[in-house]
Amino acid sequence: MASEAMKPLHVRESKVGNMISERKRRLVEVPYTASLAHTMNALVANQVVAVPVAAPPGHWIGAGGSMILESDKQTGAVRKHYIGMVTMIDILDHIAEGSETGAVDLDQRMGVPVSSVIGHSLEGLSLWTINPNTSIVDCLEVFSKGIHRALVPVESHMENISGVELAESSSRYQMLTQMDVLRFLKCHESQLKNLTSRSVGELGAVVEDIFGVTRDTKVIDAIKCMRTASLNAVPIVESSSGTTSIGEDFKQLVDGRGRKLIGTFSATDLRGCPNALLQNSLQMDVIEFTEQASKGSHSTSGGDLGKTSRVLVTCHAETSLGEVMDKAATAHVHRVWVVDRQGLLVGIVSLTDMLRVLRALLLSS
């Protein structure tokens, strides 16, 4: 008979430390002196959408007043200070700013140090750590409130603390993202079957306020719209008059609800695009850009990078939460569009929404 200690851990009893112990992924970071072009290369090479920025200690105030330090394991001497997080949307914000005064000099815009764009997006205003002792339920609460990723100290100096912190010192960190949490829960799906079999509509996971762009919107205008609304992605929808945007301002977001969904434009679509091609891409229609991107025309990796992010991933309000989770995890997308039986857009289920309802289900069960 197996001892009590050998019983498998129930997902409700899991902690953040259990999630990172299953992964051996090193932390991808860039120095504060790196150019945006170098930072973009790091995103592409490591297939990530955000990187922490490291600087020498004692010279910077971290994003949101954070003080997240890497220290020597033996001596405790501080080696570096993580001063912020830079995402693809921060880089696109910077490009969009440059277009407001005329044509974009992309080489000049991409040559600035990465430290100069920290905090351009809402997410970049703060940098968080989450203690490995934090319970899965508390972790879900953090990630259901708009925090997409946090650094986890592998050897924390604050052993009795749980939750998110703005101050930490550790000899090593790992990144924990919303997608990591979702995939961890998918690995323990057998324990959640009775919870995730209910539909996303019934669980209140569908957000019905949905804004998008039309097929005639230029890439640079879509970027500006996303920047203004703090969005990482927008649906591409048919215009109200059918296949053309006559009578509509295609430089502005439109109410996407009830329109035919024809594509997705995401910040990560531009990640693998070299400067020379990106310059031309800015004036393309979004639908033309995404069609070329799906063929790998923009990619510098020569492989599968970014292809999954361009797949149109949809569900219905009647689709089970478990199936929606599987769609997001398999396609590695951060949102699933909700459509009716005619393919008209009715809402969105983001990773934030999935984790929000999962937390509520775990608490109620």
Side-chain angles (χ1 to χ4, degrees), residues 218-258:
K218 302 295 183 187
V219 168
I220 187 62
D221 293 321
I223 292 171
K224 290 178 182 177
C225 289
M226 290 161 61
R227 174 189 174 213
T228 301
S230 297
L231 298 172
N232 290 315
V234 287
I236 304 172
V237 295
E238 291 285 13
S239 69
S240 56
S241 58
T243 58
T244 63
S245 300
I246 297 174
E248 286 190 307
D249 184 357
F250 48 78
K251 292 187 177 183
Q252 302 293 328
L253 291 174
V254 299
D255 185 354
R257 188 170 166 79

Side-chain angles (χ1 to χ4, degrees), residues 7-324:
K7 285 186 177 181
L9 194 67
H10 193 279
V11 66
R12 273 190 296 266
E13 300 166 340
S14 300
K15 297 183 182 295
V16 166
N18 299 122
M19 284 188 275
I20 65 168
S21 67
E22 296 181 2
R23 301 158 52 242
K24 301 297 183 184
R25 194 167 67 201
R26 68 180 180 85
L27 181 66
V28 180
E29 61 184 66
V30 293
Y32 74 108
T33 53
S35 67
L36 286 191
H38 174 87
T39 303
M40 180 94 85
N41 289 338
L43 295 175
V44 172
N46 295 281
Q47 301 192 28
V48 294
V49 296
V51 286
V53 180
H59 300 285
W60 294 79
I61 297 174
S66 61
M67 184 61 70
I68 300 174
L69 308 174
E70 183 187 286
S71 54
D72 185 90
K73 186 174 183 179
Q74 303 301 324
T75 66
V78 177
R79 292 189 298 228
K80 63 181 72 168
H81 177 193
Y82 292 108
I83 60 174
M85 189 86 68
V86 168
T87 68
M88 192 62 208
I89 199 67
D90 290 308
I91 297 175
L92 296 185
D93 277 352
H94 180 69
I95 293 172
E97 281 181 354
S99 70
E100 293 171 359
T101 57
V104 181
D105 183 346
L106 211 54
D107 287 335
Q108 186 272 330
R109 300 299 290 176
M110 296 298 284
V112 303
V114 66
S115 56
S116 66
V117 304
I118 292 174
H120 273 216
S121 68
L122 194 61
E123 186 179 357
L125 292 175
S126 296
L127 180 63
W128 300 96
T129 67
I130 185 165
N131 194 278
N133 294 316
T134 304
S135 70
I136 187 72
V137 172
D138 288 343
C139 177
L140 287 172
E141 181 180 20
V142 170
F143 284 130
S144 65
K145 291 183 175 179
I147 296 177
H148 295 166
R149 54 189 59 82
L151 294 174
V152 179
V154 178
E155 289 137 352
S156 174
H157 289 183
M158 296 187 283
E159 297 298 333
N160 298 318
I161 301 294
S162 66
V164 290
E165 296 290 334
L166 285 168
E168 179 61 86
S169 180
S170 175
S171 62
R172 189 161 60 94
Y173 293 88
Q174 284 196 24
M175 184 78 77
L176 184 70
T177 68
Q178 287 181 323
M179 183 61 76
D180 294 326
V181 177
L182 184 74
R183 285 180 165 161
F184 177 82
L185 293 171
K186 283 292 298 175
C187 289
H188 297 81
E189 191 174 14
S190 60
Q191 300 178 17
L192 302 171
K193 277 289 187 185
N194 61 325
L195 303 179
T196 59
S197 59
R198 296 166 62 184
S199 74
V200 288
E202 176 192 357
L203 292 169
V206 181
V207 175
E208 297 181 350
D209 292 330
I210 188 74
F211 295 94
V213 296
T214 63
R215 61 165 62 240
D216 295 323
T217 302
K218 302 295 183 187
V219 168
I220 187 62
D221 293 321
I223 292 171
K224 290 178 182 177
C225 289
M226 290 161 61
R227 174 189 174 213
T228 301
S230 297
L231 298 172
N232 290 315
V234 287
I236 304 172
V237 295
E238 291 285 13
S239 69
S240 56
S241 58
T243 58
T244 63
S245 300
I246 297 174
E248 286 190 307
D249 184 357
F250 48 78
K251 292 187 177 183
Q252 302 293 328
L253 291 174
V254 299
D255 185 354
R257 188 170 166 79
R259 301 197 190 207
K260 182 75 173 178
L261 178 68
I262 57 176
T264 302
F265 180 74
S266 168
T268 53
D269 286 340
L270 292 155
R271 182 176 52 181
C273 198
N275 278 7
L277 290 177
L278 183 55
Q279 182 80 59
N280 295 330
S281 299
L282 294 176
Q283 296 305 320
M284 281 185 181
D285 296 342
V286 286
I287 196 68
E288 178 188 1
F289 176 84
T290 55
E291 286 172 354
Q292 288 197 20
S294 66
K295 299 172 186 175
S297 303
H298 303 312
S299 177
T300 58
S301 62
D304 296 330
L305 178 62
K307 286 187 178 179
T308 52
S309 68
R310 298 176 187 116
V311 173
L312 193 57
V313 183
T314 64
C315 71
H316 303 295
E318 301 78 26
T319 307
S320 70
L321 175 60
E323 185 177 344
V324 173

